[in-house]
Amino acid sequence: MIELNKPIKRIILPGVKTDYIENSGYSNNLFEQKKVIQILEEDLKKISEYVEPNEKNFSTYSLKLYELFIKASIEFENMCKQILLDNKYDKKITKLDIKDYYKINTLMCLDRYSCSINLIPDKNFIPFENWSKNHVLKWYQDYNKVKHNRTNNFKMANLENVLLSISALRILLYAQYGNFSLDNTLSFDTIKMGAEDSENDNDYLYLNHSLFLIKKPSESDYKYKYNFKWDVIKEETDCIEKFDFNQI
């Protein structure tokens, strides 16, 4: 495992507590990102009044689901771009695509996160699962297809893809901000999975006022970890570093 002696912009890693997230150099739009996802979740709750959140209805599609799928996928692109641009990456923002977004998985270990949704408690969602193999995400491919040709690909704007895209956002937000992403009070509850305390890697973290439960990776899943004392380095002008994604 590679050790980093300073925190990287917008990326939490195991090894130290996440006090560094409160530093203004780490990120400047946490609450904006949280608000967007909260609005998407409220829209999903409204849709669930008409379409029962059940695996039997995963193939259901509609204009409302289409709208939500497009919004969630655009926000996914925006988050990935912001992570790359806030760090070191030479490619122009207008040229970025899924192959570029895939690079962040090397540090953030997104393919090892999973979600469950309290509307469908027995179903597990792993929106980045295929990133353990290559850059392809089927739900994101479906988004591009339906965005460019809704008439022929309308059925891809279905409930399952909506759930996967919003799950991806919730995971990506947590991978940037940890417990700071959970709600505006920064408090959280933990559903125990045979764990001793809330820091156990086997815990599901409950996002207050959210539909989602997040299961984070274990420390051994990561290729990188932090090894620093934040109280020692936090007064330095360059206490937050930029990771060079050009090398990946």
Side-chain angles (χ1 to χ4, degrees):
M1 188 177 288
I2 301 172
E3 294 187 348
L4 302 176
N5 58 15
K6 289 184 180 179
I8 302 297
K9 283 178 174 286
R10 293 182 178 272
I11 295 175
I12 63 168
L13 292 173
V16 302
K17 293 182 178 180
T18 56
D19 297 349
Y20 53 86
I21 291 174
E22 296 182 278
N23 185 279
S24 60
Y26 181 80
S27 169
N28 61 0
N29 68 337
L30 165 60
F31 292 103
E32 171 197 316
Q33 290 180 316
K34 288 168 66 173
K35 183 178 180 180
V36 170
I37 298 178
Q38 288 166 356
I39 291 171
L40 292 173
E41 283 197 48
E42 288 303 313
D43 288 344
L44 179 58
K45 290 177 184 177
K46 292 176 184 176
I47 289 173
S48 70
E49 296 176 7
Y50 302 94
V51 180
E52 184 64 23
N54 187 291
E55 286 192 63
K56 294 180 180 179
N57 292 329
F58 275 5
S59 61
T60 300
Y61 58 95
S62 70
L63 284 174
K64 284 294 184 181
L65 286 168
Y66 165 80
E67 178 183 358
L68 193 51
F69 187 31
I70 295 296
K71 287 179 178 179
S73 300
I74 289 174
E75 185 60 21
F76 163 71
E77 292 175 328
N78 182 63
M79 280 194 189
C80 291
K81 288 175 182 177
Q82 202 64 55
I83 292 167
L84 290 171
L85 294 175
D86 275 11
N87 286 283
K88 296 178 182 179
Y89 198 54
D90 293 339
K91 197 170 179 180
K92 292 183 179 179
I93 188 171
T94 55
K95 301 293 184 180
L96 298 178
D97 58 27
I98 192 65
K99 292 180 181 178
D100 302 296
Y101 310 152
Y102 173 57
K103 291 176 180 290
I104 67 177
N105 188 59
T106 301
L107 266 73
M108 302 181 85
C109 210
L110 299 173
D111 60 299
R112 303 297 295 178
Y113 278 88
S114 62
C115 264
S116 63
I117 301 172
N118 61 22
L119 296 173
I120 321 171
D122 296 329
K123 175 67 177 177
N124 202 33
F125 293 88
I126 313 176
F128 298 105
E129 183 174 19
N130 201 64
W131 272 6
S132 64
K133 305 172 186 176
N134 54 54
H135 69 273
V136 176
L137 297 175
K138 186 181 182 302
W139 62 266
Y140 185 78
Q141 286 183 320
D142 289 350
Y143 150 70
N144 277 295
K145 289 176 182 177
V146 74
K147 178 181 68 171
H148 293 297
N149 192 335
R150 189 182 68 198
T151 300
N152 289 341
N153 300 310
F154 195 19
K155 64 182 181 181
M156 295 178 181
N158 57 51
L159 179 60
E160 182 176 22
N161 277 335
V162 167
L163 294 172
L164 283 167
S165 59
I166 300 179
S167 294
L169 286 181
R170 271 300 181 188
I171 287 170
L172 194 52
L173 191 71
Y174 185 85
Q176 292 179 82
Y177 303 106
N179 294 343
F180 287 80
S181 71
L182 302 185
D183 72 1
N184 289 332
T185 65
L186 306 185
S187 64
F188 68 98
D189 299 315
T190 303
I191 292 182
K192 293 297 183 181
M193 305 291 288
E196 292 296 326
D197 55 59
S198 62
E199 296 301 319
N200 190 290
D201 290 324
N202 292 322
D203 286 355
Y204 275 85
L205 300 177
Y206 178 63
L207 283 63
N208 292 339
H209 314 302
S210 173
L211 299 172
F212 292 81
L213 294 157
I214 288 182
K215 187 173 188 293
K216 58 185 180 180
S218 64
E219 184 170 335
S220 61
D221 289 324
Y222 287 85
K223 297 179 181 177
Y224 292 79
K225 68 177 294 187
Y226 286 141
N227 184 15
F228 56 79
K229 293 182 178 179
W230 179 241
D231 286 342
V232 174
I233 68 171
K234 67 181 181 180
E235 300 301 328
E236 298 178 9
T237 55
D238 59 346
C239 60
I240 307 290
E241 288 191 333
K242 294 184 177 183
F243 185 82
D244 188 359
F245 281 101
N246 296 296
Q247 67 181 333
I248 296 177

